[in-house]
Amino acid sequence: MKRATLEVGGLVAMLDCLVVEKRLRTLPGVIAVDMNATSTTATVAYDETRTDIETIRSEIEACGFHCRGESVPCHICVPNGTVRRPCGP
């Protein structure tokens, strides 16, 4: 099992979080989803042999929201190690 936190943009209301949660829970291999409206993130526990980050990201976008991928603190390199998000405003 793997766990990832993804940025979800475009959330307007609490019901938006429920829409994303419900959609992601239907994906094969997704074990748990925890949406956080304050930080606009979705923490997803999933079986990496049945699904992947790109599929999860695509499902978030299919709901009509934006997803840049995994949310990584600015002081840590992005998982693929090629790009680093700028810190600060």
Side-chain angles (χ1 to χ4, degrees):
M1 180 177 80
K2 195 168 183 180
R3 183 177 300 274
T5 301
L6 294 100
E7 294 181 21
V8 182
L11 298 170
V12 177
M14 285 303 294
L15 288 177
D16 293 343
C17 290
L18 295 174
V19 167
V20 173
E21 256 186 46
K22 186 175 181 179
R23 177 98 177 227
L24 294 180
R25 288 181 187 191
T26 65
L27 284 175
V30 171
I31 299 159
V33 179
D34 181 30
M35 288 293 301
N36 186 322
T38 304
S39 66
T40 64
T41 59
T43 301
V44 183
Y46 63 97
D47 177 351
E48 65 268 23
T49 64
R50 298 185 66 204
T51 194
D52 57 21
I53 290 293
E54 187 56 35
T55 301
I56 295 168
R57 189 190 65 73
S58 294
E59 285 299 315
I60 291 170
E61 291 182 345
C63 289
F65 303 103
H66 307 285
C67 183
R68 292 186 347 179
E70 281 191 85
S71 176
V72 180
C74 63
H75 66 281
I76 299 174
C77 292
V78 174
N80 68 9
T82 59
V83 180
R84 187 160 182 234
R85 290 189 5 206
C87 290

